[in-house]
Amino acid sequence: MHFRPVQCILTALKYESEPIIDHYQLSRVKTFDFPVFRSDSRLLLGIGVGKKYIKTRICELYAQKQNDEKYQFVNIGIAGGNPGNSVLGGCYMINKIYDEHDKLNYYPDLPAEHPFEERAIVTVEQGIINGGLQYSDLVDMESSEIFQVCQELVPKQRHYFIKIVSDHMDLNKIEFCKNRISKLILNNMDTIDSFLQSCYFKKY
């Protein structure tokens, strides 16, 4: 059976989204009351910060897909990192997700080859501002919820997590602004684009 692959990029922040929207020349889909942008078979969905809106937005978007469309989800965004094993601006593929609140582990099924170093990530309820030395892995506020929702919709081979280290869990020492966040995405866009292109038409 023939199908049309649809690659859906998930972002939490507007300033993470904008460089991706510009790169792929995506246009706003006005039928949704939350951020959805599309061009042909590539989508970007704004899921918001934290877990609150993730399930409703992903499921509402997925419910409106065409029967011959097969979705692939890719979460792209910033994360806090431990200074001992991550560099600011470093771009990593997530191979393990731990939900700190639920005490559960999730394991993405990664492609055999990709251009990133791999890291584990901890999903927390609130941003870490004290240096986060208790966390040996990356930290964010969305990955575990994204994994739980997406695994009910598509096989694990069709959802990936790409995280760029924006801080060393010391948010009280740095200022987050549009230009800084967007630049982190832009600096890694060539590598991200190469990966997205390589897995775009893969059949499962």
Side-chain angles (χ1 to χ4, degrees), residues 42-56:
R42 183 172 280 114
L43 283 162
L44 183 142
L45 166 63
I47 56 173
V49 176
K51 300 178 179 179
K52 184 177 180 180
Y53 300 112
I54 291 174
K55 184 172 183 178
T56 54

Side-chain angles (χ1 to χ4, degrees), residues 14-29:
K14 176 182 178 181
Y15 300 145
E16 295 168 337
S17 305
E18 287 181 345
I20 301 170
I21 292 168
D22 291 342
H23 184 87
Y24 293 115
Q25 299 182 317
L26 308 180
S27 299
R28 181 71 185 258
V29 180

Side-chain angles (χ1 to χ4, degrees), residues 165-180:
V165 176
S166 58
D167 60 274
H168 282 146
M169 293 180 269
D170 51 358
L171 299 181
N172 56 334
K173 295 182 181 180
I174 63 173
E175 180 182 356
F176 274 112
C177 61
K178 172 183 177 180
N179 290 340
R180 187 173 186 275

Side-chain angles (χ1 to χ4, degrees), residues 11 15 43 73 83 91 112 142 151 162 164 179 181 184 204:
T11 57
Y15 300 145
L43 283 162
F73 294 98
C91 191
E142 295 86 25
Q151 73 173 346
I162 299 170
I164 300 169
N179 290 340
I181 295 172
L184 289 170
Y204 302 92

Side-chain angles (χ1 to χ4, degrees), residues 66-85:
Q66 300 299 311
N67 289 335
D68 64 342
E69 292 181 336
K70 281 199 173 184
Y71 269 48
Q72 175 189 69
F73 294 98
V74 185
N75 174 220
I76 300 172
I78 59 174
N82 186 296
N85 62 18

